[in-house]
Amino acid sequence: MRLSRYFLPVLKETPADAQIVSHRLMLRAGMIRQQAAGIYSWLPLGYRVLRRIEQIVHEEQQRAGHIPLLMPTLQSAELWQKSGRYDAYGPEMLRITDRHGREMLYGPTNEEMITEIVGNYVTSYKALPLTLYHIQWKFRDEVRPRFGVMRGREFLMKDGYNFDLTREDALHAYNRHLVSYLRTYERMGLQAIPMRADSGPIGGDYTHEFLVLADTGESEVFYDSAITDLKFGDRQIDYDDHAQCQAVLEEFTSRYARTDETHDAAVFAEVPEERRRSARGIEVGQIFYFGTEYSEKLGAYVQAEDGGRVPLHMGSHGIGVSRLLGAIIEASHDENGIIWPEGVTPFQVGIVNLRQGDTETDAACDALYAGITALGLEPLYDDRDERAGGKFATMDLIGLPWRITVGPRGLKSGKVELTCRRTGESEELSPEAALARVKQIYAPHHVHLGHDLVEPMATRSFHTWM
Ligand code: ATP
Ligand code: MG
């Protein structure tokens, strides 16, 4: 993309009403625009990152064997009356009446609807196990929408639902989700720690929230610092293997890590003092096993092997897709702007032309642009007729992890400069060597080009990547 043809409305001033750094940076970098309290337009740069995050979620869900579908944003009140949540949800639910006087609502979540779907079509145990998910906009009329996309009213969520014959199978689905979430967040350059959360009236240990540590987080958390040494890395998991998933879950949940709702000072005191931490965290996901409650209320029963009719065991699992942009920026920025992890960056490489209009410099930039594109990556080329300082400031603000600077002086000795946004370190290299480095840097990351991001998942590229 050439910056001169792009739509990147960066702000010079720091927006006064944005309280936390990620909100300020998203506004300054021209990623979002507020349209009403807690409701945003996603401007091109923000939209790109949103789609990259979605793409990672799709790939990791499907790697775990989960099946995508798409349910509507509007739902009928009737479904929710059956589950008893229509009244229980209270003022957070946005209620709408259509022209025929039918009560509708903008979905805050989809347990009722998916249970109704599965209940209608699945009749035999042979169709199980089954996990369906979608990535869809939700609306919750939050009392205090704030912090930009972190606590919006309209927000994008991946919500998935498992349907199993037995409690044991449903617990495997729970474990499988925990494992696949670990991998999902790591691909986004995030450390999200599974913490024991409040399971509400259902009881038991079967809910974990995933938290990204950040001072601006809304949750208070307590943990054993040893947990931050754990990395999922590139381990290969067979998601059908119960024992393997169970082992990973145990590895990642055996250390003390709890939200304030489940915090137990006496148990925490057993953690060696030098490893005891209390901190703030941002909830970027939650997994849940809740048994047969919804199946019974909404009629999701199957015929078991012995011929009996049994309600399905269910769980639900959410990832805060739009909130993740804020969480990633909170975890990765400096005083000059955002620092995108390679996995989610809107463009992989920035090209800065120090003398726009100079034949040789322009030609070298064009050649790099073509070279980066040929690698299957997307460059953002600052080809504006602007001073170097302004170009660098924009690149730093929007946070592309790698920048190639091209100027007449360097070109005299056949060199361009490759700069790492995170460390600020630069290397003088030939354009060919710079391309080779870029290729090497992005080799572990699977990058989907913008134009195929419109598809939920391009099977072809997914397979080449696996
Ligand atoms: P919170 O406690 O932050 O209100 P929640 O526990 O009610 O969230 P879930 O129902 O678990 O939310 O939804 C799954 C995920 O969706 C959350 O982990 C979070 O990342 C995201 N999410 C929830 N509410 C919002 C919101 N208002 N704005 C943006 N993301 C949200
Ligand atoms: Mg939650």
Side-chain angles (χ1 to χ4, degrees):
M1 180 61 68
R2 286 172 175 266
L3 196 42
S4 63
R5 296 182 196 166
Y6 201 43
F7 181 66
L8 184 70
V10 298
L11 303 181
K12 295 251 150 52
E13 279 98 56
T14 301
D17 51 342
Q19 299 165 42
I20 61 169
V21 67
S22 59
H23 188 196
R24 283 196 291 271
L25 288 173
M26 287 183 78
L27 291 168
R28 283 189 54 211
M31 296 176 66
I32 51 170
R33 177 168 178 81
Q34 184 175 317
Q35 305 294 168
I39 300 178
Y40 293 87
S41 286
W42 293 81
L43 303 179
L45 192 77
Y47 184 51
R48 266 185 178 262
V49 182
L50 188 69
R51 296 316 292 267
R52 297 224 182 272
I53 290 174
E54 260 187 277
Q55 184 68 34
I56 291 175
V57 172
H58 272 302
E59 287 174 4
E60 294 307 326
Q61 283 302 300
Q62 291 176 48
R63 187 201 292 281
H66 307 160
I67 302 170
L69 83 170
L70 186 62
M71 291 176 273
T73 52
L74 295 184
Q75 307 187 16
S76 83
E78 230 173 282
L79 266 180
W80 289 70
Q81 281 152 353
K82 279 189 194 156
S83 74
R85 287 210 292 181
Y86 191 59
D87 293 326
Y89 223 93
E92 264 196 26
M93 178 181 275
L94 180 65
R95 295 152 206 262
I96 304 159
T97 309
D98 75 9
R99 66 197 295 167
H100 304 292
R102 286 188 204 104
E103 288 178 64
M104 314 278 294
L105 57 102
Y106 195 126
T109 179
N110 285 68
E111 279 85 4
E112 283 77 1
M113 189 175 280
I114 195 79
T115 310
E116 190 267 345
I117 293 173
V118 170
N120 258 279
Y121 295 113
V122 175
T123 51
S124 157
Y125 72 93
K126 288 179 191 154
L128 306 174
L130 180 64
T131 296
L132 299 167
Y133 78 93
H134 71 166
I135 298 182
Q136 178 62 293
W137 295 94
K138 304 289 186 285
F139 197 96
R140 293 183 188 173
D141 206 350
E142 302 273 358
V143 198
R144 281 185 69 200
R146 56 179 185 160
F147 302 159
V149 299
M150 293 264 241
R151 184 165 295 284
R153 292 197 295 165
E154 187 190 47
F155 59 97
L156 191 59
M157 194 206 285
K158 169 258 154 181
D159 41 323
Y161 307 87
N162 66 284
F163 296 88
D164 289 280
L165 184 62
T166 63
R167 174 184 157 88
E168 194 206 337
D169 287 350
L171 290 178
H172 169 60
Y174 182 89
N175 299 348
R176 191 177 67 229
H177 276 87
L178 188 137
V179 176
S180 84
Y181 278 24
L182 290 170
R183 186 176 185 125
T184 303
Y185 297 119
E186 264 194 34
R187 279 189 65 192
M188 298 175 190
L190 274 181
Q191 178 161 44
I193 304 172
M195 297 201 180
R196 203 197 275 193
D198 187 15
S199 52
I202 293 157
D205 294 339
Y206 299 112
T207 182
H208 281 89
E209 285 179 2
F210 286 76
L211 286 115
V212 172
L213 299 174
D215 294 339
T216 49
E218 291 184 292
S219 313
E220 190 180 14
V221 299
F222 301 85
Y223 64 98
D224 174 345
S225 67
I227 202 164
T228 57
D229 297 334
L230 295 173
K231 295 274 176 297
F232 188 81
D234 56 6
R235 40 181 118 182
Q236 297 300 312
I237 300 287
D238 175 355
Y239 282 105
D240 292 331
D241 185 332
H242 291 218
Q244 235 182 65
C245 291
Q246 175 79 34
V248 176
L249 175 129
E250 277 166 15
E251 182 185 343
F252 281 82
T253 61
S254 61
R255 306 275 186 191
Y256 192 94
R258 297 190 192 185
T259 63
D260 56 355
E261 293 156 341
T262 56
H263 180 54
D264 181 333
V267 183
F268 193 44
E270 290 164 21
V271 176
E273 195 175 351
E274 68 281 6
R275 298 209 315 252
R276 255 179 258 156
R277 299 280 188 280
S278 80
R280 312 289 303 178
I282 302 168
E283 182 195 329
V284 292
Q286 183 162 17
I287 57 173
F288 222 110
Y289 162 70
F290 49 68
T292 57
E293 192 189 323
Y294 287 93
S295 312
E296 287 171 30
K297 288 187 173 143
L298 288 138
Y301 288 79
V302 296
Q303 192 157 41
E305 228 164 331
D306 63 9
R309 202 167 158 268
V310 294
L312 294 175
H313 286 260
M314 285 179 66
S316 70
H317 316 275
I319 292 182
V321 173
S322 50
R323 179 180 285 183
L324 273 164
L325 277 94
I328 293 169
I329 297 172
E330 289 296 324
S332 185
H333 67 270
D334 64 14
E335 63 282 6
N336 298 321
I338 303 166
I339 307 175
W340 290 117
E342 276 87 358
V344 298
T345 184
F347 296 95
Q348 287 73 45
V349 185
I351 303 174
V352 170
N353 185 338
L354 293 180
R355 190 168 304 162
Q356 203 68 45
D358 175 90
T359 319
E360 263 179 60
T361 326
D362 289 0
C365 287
D366 288 344
L368 278 168
Y369 192 106
I372 292 164
T373 308
L375 293 175
L377 303 173
E378 288 175 300
L380 180 66
Y381 173 20
D382 192 344
D383 60 343
R384 296 170 305 164
D385 192 9
E386 261 220 28
R387 269 183 299 177
K391 291 190 175 187
F392 290 147
T394 302
M395 283 293 173
D396 283 352
L397 174 63
I398 68 171
L400 308 188
W402 298 90
R403 182 185 85 208
I404 302 179
T405 309
V406 183
R409 202 177 316 150
L411 282 181
K412 268 206 191 94
S413 49
K415 295 279 161 69
V416 297
E417 195 182 61
L418 179 68
T419 307
C420 173
R421 173 71 182 82
R422 189 172 295 281
T423 64
E425 282 165 20
S426 291
E427 286 176 81
E428 298 249 305
L429 297 164
S430 69
E432 296 71 32
L435 284 176
R437 279 280 291 134
V438 164
K439 183 178 177 184
Q440 183 192 22
I441 288 161
Y442 283 100
H445 299 277
H446 176 63
V447 176
H448 280 265
L449 294 187
H451 59 258
D452 63 31
L453 282 176
V454 290
E455 282 184 32
M457 200 193 74
T459 318
R460 174 182 44 82
S461 353
F462 184 54
H463 285 306
T464 46
W465 175 60
M466 283 175 73

